[in-house]
């Protein structure tokens, strides 16, 4: 994956997608989330067919391909829906240095902003709380990390928690 071009919002639901016609899988370009998804799928798979199947399971709720089932929000959807593969270690590694953040996640408004019209499938806006580690506390946490974690960068921007993510490599 070294040298793969970064292109924001580069994957979607394929040519049959209702809203996002970008390909389901493409190793020639990535954004931060699709990079993590594809590397995770490759790491737990033995061949291309199982990679594709695992990627579908990582990217979509219950593996159902479709814009409405995609884990668009990292902290509200992607991390919780992938507990079979991921474990949130924020509190375990950050301890008392962790802080709380509360936001309203509005999946319907997000869908409308992307041109998706069947918004009744989405739940109403959700008040959600996460724990995060402030950036001035990161260095004290590094010795507690194994080097196989995914770091999610938390933002103060309204309506989302995650602004970026990537692997930690020791």
């Amino acid at each position: 994956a070294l040298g793969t071009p970064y292109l924001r919002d580069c994957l979607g639901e394929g040519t049959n997608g209702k809203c996002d016609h970008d390909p389901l899988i493409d190793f020639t370009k990535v954004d931060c989330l699709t990079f993590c998804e594809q590397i995770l799928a490759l790491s737990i798979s033995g061949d291309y067919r199982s990679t594709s199947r695992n990627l579908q399971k990582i990217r979509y709720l219950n593996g159902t391909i479709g814009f409405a089932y995609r884990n668009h929000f990292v902290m509200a959807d992607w991390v919780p829906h992938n507990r079979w593969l991921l474990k949130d270690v924020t509190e375990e590694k950050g301890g008392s240095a962790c802080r709380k953040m509360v936001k309203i996640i509005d999946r319907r408004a997000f869908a409308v902003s992307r041109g998706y019209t069947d918004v009744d499938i989405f739940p109403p806006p959700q008040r959600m709380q996460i724990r995060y580690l402030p950036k001035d506390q990161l260095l004290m946490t590094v010795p507690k990390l194994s080097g196989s974690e995914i770091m999610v960068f938390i933002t103060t921007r309204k309506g989302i928690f995650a602004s970026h993510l990537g692997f930690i490599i020791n």
Side-chain angles (χ1 to χ4, degrees):
L2 188 63
T4 302
Y6 186 92
L7 181 64
R8 193 169 165 230
D9 199 23
C10 60
L11 295 181
E13 280 62 67
T15 54
N16 295 325
K18 187 173 182 178
C19 176
D20 189 345
H21 303 287
D22 290 329
L24 281 165
I25 190 167
D26 183 351
F27 293 108
T28 67
K29 57 187 176 273
V30 292
D31 59 26
C32 62
L33 181 58
T34 59
F35 176 75
C36 288
E37 290 171 337
Q38 289 180 172
I39 296 300
L40 285 169
L42 284 165
S43 71
I44 62 172
S45 304
D47 55 33
Y48 185 81
R49 173 175 256 155
S50 60
T51 297
S52 183
R53 197 171 37 250
N54 284 323
L55 179 62
Q56 184 176 328
K57 187 176 176 184
I58 292 167
R59 187 172 291 152
Y60 300 97
L61 178 62
N62 300 322
T64 304
I65 296 174
F67 184 87
Y69 302 100
R70 189 162 182 178
N71 295 317
H72 293 285
F73 292 87
V74 173
M75 299 307 293
D77 300 327
W78 193 75
V79 171
H81 295 163
N82 283 297
R83 286 194 177 116
W84 61 276
L85 179 62
L86 304 170
K87 177 184 174 189
D88 185 346
V89 296
T90 306
E91 289 188 76
E92 176 185 322
K93 304 296 183 178
S96 62
C98 290
R99 302 291 176 262
K100 293 178 185 176
M101 181 180 285
V102 176
K103 292 196 179 181
I104 303 296
I105 304 299
D106 190 343
R107 292 172 184 84
R108 290 177 180 178
F110 172 77
V112 168
S113 77
R114 296 298 179 104
Y116 193 83
T117 55
D118 188 17
V119 295
D120 290 340
I121 195 166
F122 295 98
Q126 172 189 9
R127 183 180 186 275
M128 188 176 175
Q129 176 181 290
I130 64 160
R131 303 275 292 168
Y132 72 97
L133 191 62
K135 63 183 174 187
D136 64 345
Q137 298 294 315
L138 288 177
L139 288 180
M140 72 88 171
T141 307
V142 170
K144 299 176 185 178
L145 302 177
S146 66
S148 62
E149 295 85 2
I150 295 174
M151 178 182 280
V152 178
F153 293 83
I154 303 301
T155 181
T156 56
R157 207 170 103 206
K158 183 180 175 181
I160 65 167
F161 289 108
S163 62
H164 192 58
L165 67 154
F167 290 97
I168 296 175
I169 300 171
N170 269 347

